[in-house]
Amino acid sequence: MANPENEESNKQGRPEFLISLFDLMIRTPQTEVEDQMSEDGKLNPLSNKELDTINKYCSGTRKIPKKDAKNILKRINSGKSFIDRIEFTAPGAKKSIRNELRNKGFNVTSASLGEVCFEILKTFLNKFNDGENSVAPSDLWDNQNTITRLQLVQDVNLKCPLCGQELTKAGEYKAISNYDIVHIFPDNLAIKDKSKFFKIKSAPKDSDALDNKIPLCLNCANLYLENPTVEDYQSLVNTKRRISIESHLAKGLNQLTLEENLTKVIKGLKNIKPDMNVMPISYDAHKVEEKISSDYSLQGTVNFYVMGYYNKIRDEFSNMAGDSFYFDDLATTMKLAYVKFKREKLDQEEIFEQLANWILKKANLEKEYSIAVRIIVAFFVQNCEVFEVENAK
Ligand SMILES: [Zn+2]
């Protein structure tokens, strides 16, 4: 049956070579179905095709079917065996591949040859999947793509949002990526399933938008691509929402500056003994209860801090008042930070925590000051700037 167009028959022919390249790119089976497919020789969709047909793929007279490209992409591995194979190719062969790629405008060095070839083949498959049939240097993951990946991986703190596994592994010389970026709203939902997913969040206008992308570890990515569940979808939507709230907040809060005097007071708190028998007459003791009326553990904590430190902190600040320090400015900054957290619809305890963490980071304070910072936040709760009296008339 085989009828190769150009004869290299004593060596491995072109079609066999392409099949073996894809073999190297397909990860080991992870499910029973895949085990079976592997046994039947069907894991690589090219392996049961006519050599003549594959030859046409090689010469470009026929496109690799979308379905096949997609199937390989679905099971793609980290590229290690593929890259190893290139690394251990004869130096002469490597050099000629490298020069050929350079002539075509690809940015490749001897050291990056394996990785670049792997990326080219992946991009190739993606292109077939989109109904195209060639790859240009500009299609490869360029800087922009790298930055996008970096951002997405950083957003989830380098951990798989579904199972918590690390998304990168440290090799001896390089970090190895252990993730794939998936579309949050699954691409190929059956019509009957769509409504369930829509209830949580409707499909994005453009499925390639950044907002619809999230990195998952290779295992979760494969499972989600094959069988997306409503629970996982909900969890990914929640993660993305949290990321967007956090980045929103970070942007707003970065513009605020904290008075150096605040840091001084926080650091000084370690040396101040709390008052445990303050006459409540020296401040309005009902304020905290009015402001935090339903979260009793938070109310208790804030009350405790206020009782022990309110007067002392107030005195500290008033002693500092002078040419360059205006307490009102500081109070306004705290109020602004509070308003920003509140706008993100966080509850009181979350706001309290976020404010404390924000001050800690912003003032570049070590963790040992985390309680002192909470005492300061409590001070501002008492001082009218943070939290409003609930159900105020
Ligand atoms: Zn995972």
Side-chain angles (χ1 to χ4, degrees), residues 2-173:
N3 178 25
E5 287 167 7
N6 70 348
E7 286 293 335
E8 295 167 321
S9 50
N10 54 339
K11 288 198 231 154
Q12 193 184 40
R14 228 168 32 171
E16 291 93 341
F17 181 61
L18 190 65
I19 295 174
S20 70
L21 282 183
F22 286 145
D23 276 338
L24 286 171
M25 297 176 75
I26 295 173
R27 61 168 168 73
T28 48
Q30 291 184 353
T31 60
E32 269 176 41
V33 178
E34 286 180 4
D35 273 333
Q36 192 56 48
M37 288 174 80
S38 164
E39 237 167 72
D40 301 343
K42 285 182 183 157
L43 211 50
N44 181 344
L46 258 56
S47 55
N48 52 10
K49 292 222 170 1
E50 303 281 343
L51 293 183
D52 190 32
T53 309
I54 303 176
N55 230 337
K56 286 182 179 145
Y57 299 155
C58 297
S59 61
T61 51
R62 209 161 142 178
K63 286 185 200 167
I64 293 183
K66 276 187 183 189
K67 174 169 64 83
D68 293 340
K70 194 171 201 153
N71 271 329
I72 301 174
L73 282 170
K74 232 161 77 174
R75 306 204 161 79
I76 214 142
N77 60 25
S78 63
K80 191 170 180 320
S81 8
F82 180 95
I83 293 167
D84 278 353
R85 173 70 65 88
I86 302 245
E87 301 269 298
F88 294 112
T89 305
K94 271 169 80 172
K95 204 171 164 188
S96 56
I97 302 174
R98 192 200 65 190
N99 291 344
E100 188 63 29
L101 285 174
R102 281 203 185 163
N103 286 340
K104 296 255 182 333
F106 287 94
N107 183 8
V108 58
T109 63
S110 302
S112 67
L113 185 63
E115 277 173 52
V116 173
C117 287
F118 183 63
E119 285 305 320
I120 291 177
L121 270 174
K122 268 209 296 195
T123 313
F124 214 67
L125 289 168
N126 271 311
K127 287 265 178 160
F128 279 119
N129 192 18
D130 295 338
E132 294 170 56
N133 62 356
S134 69
V135 175
S138 60
D139 296 326
L140 280 208
W141 51 292
D142 47 18
N143 259 340
Q144 214 48 49
N145 266 327
T146 312
I147 293 166
T148 304
R149 285 177 162 259
L150 191 70
Q151 173 78 59
L152 288 169
V153 173
Q154 156 83 27
D155 281 347
V156 296
N157 295 324
L158 282 83
K159 290 209 173 74
C160 174
L162 291 180
C163 74
Q165 211 194 107
E166 303 280 338
L167 295 183
T168 58
K169 287 182 189 158
E172 198 174 349
Y173 298 103

Side-chain angles (χ1 to χ4, degrees), residues 324-370:
S324 61
F325 176 69
Y326 298 96
F327 179 77
D328 284 352
D329 290 353
L330 177 60
T332 306
T333 306
M334 297 305 289
K335 171 96 185 173
L336 273 172
Y338 160 68
V339 168
K340 283 182 198 292
F341 287 119
K342 195 182 166 223
R343 226 177 263 157
E344 302 299 335
K345 305 212 175 355
L346 304 178
D347 65 31
Q348 288 190 315
E349 186 176 345
E350 285 169 320
I351 295 177
F352 190 87
E353 282 303 303
Q354 293 274 7
L355 269 172
N357 288 335
W358 172 66
I359 296 173
L360 206 64
K361 269 192 212 151
K362 188 87 184 174
N364 216 359
L365 288 162
E366 302 294 326
K367 262 231 146 61
E368 59 177 298
Y369 291 106
S370 57

Side-chain angles (χ1 to χ4, degrees), residues 243-289:
I243 293 167
S244 127
I245 288 176
E246 278 171 10
S247 83
H248 216 224
L249 276 174
K251 261 180 224 146
L253 291 171
N254 270 341
Q255 292 154 1
L256 296 178
T257 45
L258 273 186
E259 296 280 343
E260 255 175 61
N261 283 307
L262 178 69
T263 316
K264 267 189 221 157
V265 172
I266 292 169
K267 286 189 167 171
L269 279 175
K270 288 233 174 232
N271 306 317
I272 295 180
K273 205 161 177 269
D275 271 336
M276 280 304 154
N277 301 303
V278 197
M279 300 307 279
I281 205 127
S282 55
Y283 61 87
D284 180 359
H286 294 298
K287 212 163 244 171
V288 171
E289 279 151 48

Side-chain angles (χ1 to χ4, degrees), residues 152-157 159-163 184 211 213-216 231-247:
L152 288 169
V153 173
Q154 156 83 27
D155 281 347
V156 296
N157 295 324
K159 290 209 173 74
C160 174
L162 291 180
C163 74
I184 295 177
D211 201 36
K213 285 182 184 166
I214 199 155
L216 299 180
E231 291 77 26
D232 284 348
Y233 178 61
Q234 174 79 67
S235 160
L236 296 179
V237 167
N238 289 349
T239 304
K240 209 63 181 181
R241 200 171 280 151
R242 183 182 50 74
I243 293 167
S244 127
I245 288 176
E246 278 171 10
S247 83

Side-chain angles (χ1 to χ4, degrees), residues 261-262 264-266 268-279 282-283 304-321 325 327 375-376 379 382-383:
N261 283 307
L262 178 69
K264 267 189 221 157
V265 172
I266 292 169
L269 279 175
K270 288 233 174 232
N271 306 317
I272 295 180
K273 205 161 177 269
D275 271 336
M276 280 304 154
N277 301 303
V278 197
M279 300 307 279
S282 55
Y283 61 87
F304 183 75
Y305 289 152
V306 167
M307 185 168 68
Y309 292 96
Y310 181 79
N311 290 334
K312 294 187 174 183
I313 295 175
R314 194 193 46 196
D315 292 348
E316 287 267 319
F317 279 131
S318 79
N319 289 341
M320 285 170 166
F325 176 69
F327 179 77
I375 294 172
I376 285 289
F379 172 83
Q382 173 67 30
N383 214 305

